[in-house]
Amino acid sequence: MLFSQCCIAIKNVIGYQCKKRWFYILIPVLFVSYFYWHVYDLSKNKHAVYDFSVGVDEYSYNKSLLTHNLILFDERNGVSNHKTAELAIAHVNFYLSEVRKICSPDSNNKQFISCANKILGKYFYYKPSDEVSTAYANGYSDCDLNSYLIMDAARNAKKEVNVVFSPGHAFVAFADSQGNSYFWETTGGHNTGHLANMQYPFYRKNTNPFYYTQKTMEDVKLIYPVLVLDAMPSQYQTTVIQSLSDDVRHTPLFANFYYEHKNPLTADDVRNLTGMIQTDFTSPEKKIILAKYYVSHGVPEKAKQMLSSIEYLDCGRSCLEYARHYLFGSQVLFIVDSMFRYYGVTLSTFDREFITNDAEWLFLAVFVMVFVVEAYHCGKKQWSHKR
């Protein structure tokens, strides 16, 4: 990895070549400036979003809309109260009315989705959430919640858009006039979206058939209850779990919930989880469950091995909170994530990859600069000695 290679190189330069004070001043100045630039860049979108308290009074429920169905599910199952659900519907209705005003239904699918996503970014800033009601009511949204809004906006314009789930992420799919499929990343550009480049690392490769298949509105309505099981009171969980279809029960999302809450895990459970990782190999949740099992059974080496197999971009906040106690790298990432959160900035997976790539190039640039300067001074000294 470029990041670690640059760290070693800079360490060598500091230890054996650089004896000048300017270097020790330059490094912190560069990285503090780098950090605050990203804080400013990411936080300005949050503070620029529309004040929903002005002119939002449309609370009518529309059963044909995915977002409305999910908001109603939240209210009926204790995920949110009536006031929050009502406000969420009002904000969604306002967003959809803005899309109808600005985005032409006669435009092609890509143009329409691009327009709808830009409006989304104007009214909803990025912040992770599984529950639609709380997020929409408070003017924020993330990858899957963005996808639901885009799906409803497209549906109103009589355009077909589907949701695609990948490990820890979601985006939308659409077809052009020739029937060619495209994927659209809704969180890019500060929640304003762009075409998805599926070669990016955060589109995690996974052979589980649940992932990277297009989901219709009806599919999402069946899947959504699993995503909010942890958010609902226990008296609702049993009924909701019993109502899940067999297909949903066999998704990696439900397996994560089931094994996370099963206590104690048996040897058969561990074998099942280990087998699941063979197809759901980018799942941090299952690896953390296994790591906790190994720690509780006095095998910390196996726990560290399991945690170290989690890619850093796969490891979200809850993952870092646990892994930081065992891995130094996770501790560093946890501190960086906490620094951004201190300034009210929540990093999306896209942001984390972008910032990490930037940091790697910054490390490389610093190393090259130090190397060139030191080589220049070394050459001057050798030349002066020869003379």
Side-chain angles (χ1 to χ4, degrees), residues 56-100:
V56 177
D57 56 6
E58 179 54 64
Y59 299 100
S60 61
Y61 168 77
N62 184 340
K63 65 180 181 180
S64 70
L65 295 175
L66 172 63
T67 50
H68 285 201
N69 278 274
L70 303 185
I71 291 168
L72 186 62
F73 177 89
D74 282 356
E75 183 183 357
R76 287 176 173 173
N77 291 281
V79 177
S80 67
N81 56 39
H82 177 71
K83 183 178 179 181
T84 300
E86 191 176 57
L87 191 58
I89 285 179
H91 290 177
V92 168
N93 288 347
F94 182 85
Y95 161 72
L96 294 175
S97 70
E98 290 298 291
V99 172
R100 279 193 292 268

Side-chain angles (χ1 to χ4, degrees), residues 8-24:
I8 294 170
I10 289 175
K11 180 180 177 182
N12 291 337
V13 168
I14 293 173
Y16 302 110
Q17 294 182 24
C18 185
K19 307 295 182 183
K20 296 175 178 56
R21 293 178 183 176
W22 63 265
F23 179 83
Y24 298 99

Side-chain angles (χ1 to χ4, degrees), residues 152-165:
D152 277 346
R155 185 183 180 87
N156 283 342
K158 295 182 170 39
K159 295 181 182 294
E160 184 177 351
V161 170
N162 292 322
V163 177
V164 179
F165 291 96

